[in-house]
Amino acid sequence: MNTLFGEKKTKAEKLVFKSVDEYPEAPISLGTTLINFTGDWRTFIPVVDESKCIKCYICWKFCPEPSIYIKEDGYVAIDYDYCKGCGICANECPTKAITMVREEK
Amino acid sequence: MPKKVVSGNYAAAYAAKHARVEVVAAYPITPQTSIIEKIAEFIANGEAEIQYVPVESEHSAMAACIGAAATGARAFTATSAQGLALMHEMLHWASGARLPVVMVDVNRAMAPPWSVWDDQTDSLSQRDTGWMQFYAENNQEVYDGVLMAFKIAETVNLPAMIVESAFILSHTYDIVDMPPQEEIDEFLPPRKPLYTLTDFDNPIAVGALGTPADYYEFRYKIEKAMEEARKVIKEVGKEFGERFGRDYSQMIELYKTDDAEFIFMGMGSLMGTVKEAVDLLRKEGYKVGAAKVRWFRPFPKKELYELAKNVEGIAVLDRNFSFGQEGILFNEAKGVLYNTDAHPIMKNYIVGLGGRDFTVSDIKIIAKNMKEIIEKGKLDREIEWYHLKR
């Protein structure tokens, strides 16, 4: 069960290469998606209502980005730095605990 | 040495089996189909332990091979013409992710008009995808090429394509010498991958975003690997010769070029006909030779320069064409020589497109034409559509 619990990842560090020789042979695990905050793309924002959440983690499984993490208390939370507002989580939630709300910036 | 009488396609299938490929994913397309049929037969008979992935298109075939190769497996596929064109996007993924997938492309003309016959334009259209390309002259070279390609590809971590002529090789039977499995295993040990997706203690991300800050350097790395491949190709070709008696250390195979006044240059099966013609022309007093370009990518620049220094003319025979320009090998060869002191007269003969027969007597006519040009010291025309009905 422990592996289910995650933490909001905002302090990721970008790999910095100074010369061509420092680069790995193949472009793997560059960490570039961590520094690319895709959260500012969205119009709608998912909001979790914990009173309706039954901790089924269907949203966590369906999220195409690692934008949903599970808190210590077992409820889900959204990492708004990476959530693109696609709405899959709200669509899949069986108890309608997640709603999409227009984001005010 | 055990010998078998097999078609070019069966030679490719046997080579894949002897190379102990672990994954094959392919979609049937004429004239490639019998390669995959033979591999399926090996699996059905229990002769080879290969995971065969039936797919719904060539695009998926290459995608499956890339996935398999990323886990560290030895992956193989084969295709032709439109199928190769459909793979195009995935070819970049294989070379960009540095995965040594090996593929046999059975050269076939691009449609329309619909054609299943021999033409090199399909494979040459893929020249900028970062794949190495080897052009086989006969069934033996198809077999040897596949075995060498795995070793070279896995050393430099780039994918490789072995190219054979549609029907002229693919469906024509010839004696192929196949070394015993133990000797092949010694030559080609199991693959040591650069990275693997199945190392669960060290998870990795493949195919992630490359920002403008990093993309450029990875392109350079591919070019460095191609540069290294020139060296590796010669070493592996030499080792192959020492072990099995057929030497592939030359990227351009030279035939009677030492004292030649002019030479014929080309790739693939048509060079067998050219060698035969050279023998006959020499009897008629022509001082001619043949240069068969084995590896088109990486391109044998230094070898071509050494060759061009000592001849007065080069007749480049292209079974392909780049519309709006000229034959592709001609274009490459001229480009290599521009900044050197070797400037033989070069003429481009477009021959055999779409499987048009190209014979010894055609080469004799070309030889006469080249002789005239060299005597006059002036080209009549740069590109000759040789077979054109006028």
Side-chain angles (χ1 to χ4, degrees), chain B residues 273-274 277 356-364 366 386-387:
Chain B
T273 316
V274 170
R356 185 69 63 91
D357 221 6
F358 182 62
T359 61
V360 169
S361 53
D362 295 326
I363 299 157
K364 284 188 177 172
I366 289 173
Y386 175 77
H387 301 286

Side-chain angles (χ1 to χ4, degrees), chain A residues 29-87:
Chain A
S29 300
L30 298 174
T32 42
T33 43
L34 282 171
I35 54 123
N36 189 31
F37 285 180
T38 45
D40 38 6
W41 297 6
R42 74 185 161 239
T43 312
F44 291 93
I45 187 168
V47 177
V48 185
D49 180 354
E50 289 192 1
S51 68
K52 288 187 189 165
C53 177
I54 55 166
K55 302 179 183 177
C56 67
Y57 308 135
I58 286 175
C59 57
W60 176 81
K61 283 177 190 156
F62 270 78
C63 180
E65 298 282 334
S67 303
I68 294 179
Y69 61 102
I70 298 160
K71 296 186 293 183
E72 283 296 323
D73 60 8
Y75 288 107
V76 295
I78 316 286
D79 188 342
Y80 290 112
D81 281 338
Y82 300 107
C83 170
K84 294 169 180 168
C86 70

Side-chain angles (χ1 to χ4, degrees), chain B residues 12 32 35 76-79 102-106 142 146 161-162 164:
Chain B
Q32 158 260 39
I35 298 179
F76 176 83
T77 188
T79 192
V102 170
M103 164 162 67
V104 169
D105 174 54
V106 186
V142 174
V146 171
M161 199 185 289
I162 303 302
E164 59 164 317

Side-chain angles (χ1 to χ4, degrees), chain B residues 152-194:
Chain B
I152 295 158
E154 287 166 15
T155 308
V156 300
N157 291 298
L158 281 179
M161 199 185 289
I162 303 302
V163 186
E164 59 164 317
S165 298
F167 301 109
I168 295 170
L169 299 188
S170 71
H171 288 64
T172 306
Y173 283 67
D174 198 357
I175 300 168
V176 175
D177 178 3
M178 299 181 189
Q181 184 70 54
E182 316 83 70
E183 287 181 31
I184 295 168
D185 289 346
E186 262 176 51
F187 170 74
L188 188 65
R191 180 183 159 204
K192 288 194 193 81
L194 195 60

Side-chain angles (χ1 to χ4, degrees), chain B residues 193-246:
Chain B
L194 195 60
Y195 57 85
T196 163
L197 280 174
T198 46
D199 181 0
F200 298 115
D201 297 327
N202 300 295
I204 52 165
V206 178
L209 188 72
T211 64
D214 296 320
Y215 183 88
Y216 194 90
E217 275 68 21
F218 287 111
R219 294 296 107 170
Y220 179 76
K221 291 251 175 197
I222 296 177
E223 176 49 21
K224 283 271 276 194
M226 274 285 178
E227 211 49 63
E228 196 197 334
R230 290 178 210 278
K231 210 176 90 224
V232 175
I233 283 167
K234 286 171 207 158
E235 285 167 7
V236 170
K238 188 160 175 276
E239 189 194 338
F240 197 92
E242 282 161 5
R243 281 180 188 272
F244 306 123
R246 292 178 296 277

